[in-house]
Amino acid sequence: MALLVCLLLAVVGLWDDVSTLPPLPRLAAQIALGGVAGWSTGVPAMAIAGLLLFPVVVNAANFMDGINGISGLVFVVWGLTAGYMGHVYGASHLSLLGLVSAGAALGFLPYNAMRARLFLGDVGSYLFGGLGASGLLIGAVAGVPLTPLVAPLALYLVDVFATMLKRLMAGKSLTTAHRDHVYQRLANVARISHVQVSIGVAVTSLMLAALSLLLPFALWLLAATLVSAAYLASPGFVDSRAPREAVDAT
């Protein structure tokens, strides 16, 4: 059922790619499919979790897919982590979902990372976001520790929430397209290549995942907070006088 829900999410994303759905119907579809995914686990409380979780993870995946290679690399990390956790804790459905995610991301990267010939668009980012959200639901039901499943997506979540809060405080629209995310500012202001920024985000995500397996939760949370703060502050260390360049949409 999880894979079916993810495919339906991809259809919603494809619809938006082709004809541009308004924000409200997209959000409604994400919420509804999240509820279905949660209900399908057999634990009624997971339906409520799905209602909340799917819009967050799906939109994070969508908003963060703005430079070449970033989502492919991050979801390789997430997929391998989910596959490993599913194997260790005997959660075969989680392992399968993780391997599907990592395999799809690996298959996509050669066409997007170095020289972009294909782009995820909403269809691809909705699919990967759905896979990540489904993995969290399945892991929770199977008794798998959730920190390692969240850790590879931590920078995505931090970047999205921090950017939304910044725009909200500035009185800017939350539904209008923009280039205010940290990874976009690094590519624009610092003129760092897409591949370098994407690798940096992916390596940091891998580090956070590894630390989640090695450290108690409190220490991991402290490390994740420090890493996230450094990431959010990183554009401030670049030359603000550098000319801004458009970031290719992916």
Short mmCIF file of all heavy atoms in Angstrom, two decimals, residues 11 25 33 107 121 156 180 208 218-219 229:
data_model
loop_
_atom_site.label_atom_id
_atom_site.label_comp_id
_atom_site.label_asym_id
_atom_site.label_seq_id
_atom_site.Cartn_x
_atom_site.Cartn_y
_atom_site.Cartn_z
N VAL A 11 1.54 10.95 -9.21
CA VAL A 11 0.54 11.37 -10.19
C VAL A 11 0.09 12.80 -9.91
O VAL A 11 -0.07 13.61 -10.83
CB VAL A 11 -0.67 10.40 -10.18
CG1 VAL A 11 -1.81 10.96 -11.02
CG2 VAL A 11 -0.26 9.03 -10.69
N PRO A 25 -5.40 22.33 -3.54
CA PRO A 25 -5.64 20.94 -3.95
C PRO A 25 -4.42 20.05 -3.76
O PRO A 25 -4.56 18.87 -3.40
CB PRO A 25 -6.01 21.07 -5.43
CG PRO A 25 -6.51 22.45 -5.59
CD PRO A 25 -5.72 23.27 -4.62
N LEU A 33 -3.72 11.39 1.16
CA LEU A 33 -2.90 10.21 0.91
C LEU A 33 -2.07 9.85 2.12
O LEU A 33 -1.80 8.67 2.38
CB LEU A 33 -2.02 10.44 -0.32
CG LEU A 33 -2.78 10.47 -1.65
CD1 LEU A 33 -1.87 10.94 -2.78
CD2 LEU A 33 -3.34 9.09 -1.98
N GLY A 107 19.68 5.50 -9.80
CA GLY A 107 19.39 5.43 -11.23
C GLY A 107 19.17 6.79 -11.86
O GLY A 107 19.47 6.99 -13.04
N GLY A 121 11.31 17.33 -11.12
CA GLY A 121 10.02 18.00 -11.17
C GLY A 121 9.21 17.66 -9.93
O GLY A 121 9.70 17.05 -8.98
N TYR A 156 17.14 19.04 5.25
CA TYR A 156 15.99 19.42 4.43
C TYR A 156 14.93 20.11 5.29
O TYR A 156 14.42 21.19 4.96
CB TYR A 156 15.39 18.18 3.77
CG TYR A 156 15.90 17.89 2.38
CD1 TYR A 156 17.21 18.17 2.02
CD2 TYR A 156 15.07 17.33 1.42
CE1 TYR A 156 17.69 17.89 0.76
CE2 TYR A 156 15.52 17.06 0.14
CZ TYR A 156 16.83 17.33 -0.19
OH TYR A 156 17.29 17.07 -1.46
N ASP A 180 15.24 31.56 -1.71
CA ASP A 180 15.71 31.99 -0.40
C ASP A 180 16.27 30.85 0.44
O ASP A 180 16.77 31.10 1.55
CB ASP A 180 14.57 32.65 0.38
CG ASP A 180 14.17 33.99 -0.23
OD1 ASP A 180 14.98 34.57 -0.97
OD2 ASP A 180 13.04 34.45 0.05
N LEU A 208 25.03 12.98 9.87
CA LEU A 208 23.97 13.02 10.88
C LEU A 208 23.34 11.64 11.06
O LEU A 208 23.00 11.25 12.18
CB LEU A 208 22.91 14.05 10.49
CG LEU A 208 23.33 15.51 10.57
CD1 LEU A 208 22.24 16.42 10.01
CD2 LEU A 208 23.65 15.90 12.01
N ALA A 218 20.15 12.45 23.16
CA ALA A 218 20.44 13.81 23.64
C ALA A 218 21.71 14.37 23.01
O ALA A 218 21.75 15.53 22.59
CB ALA A 218 20.56 13.82 25.16
N LEU A 219 22.74 13.54 22.91
CA LEU A 219 23.99 13.99 22.29
C LEU A 219 23.82 14.19 20.79
O LEU A 219 24.37 15.12 20.20
CB LEU A 219 25.11 12.99 22.57
CG LEU A 219 25.64 12.97 24.01
CD1 LEU A 219 26.73 11.91 24.15
CD2 LEU A 219 26.18 14.34 24.40
N ALA A 229 22.79 24.77 12.79
CA ALA A 229 23.08 26.19 12.96
C ALA A 229 24.21 26.63 12.03
O ALA A 229 24.15 27.71 11.42
CB ALA A 229 23.44 26.47 14.41
#
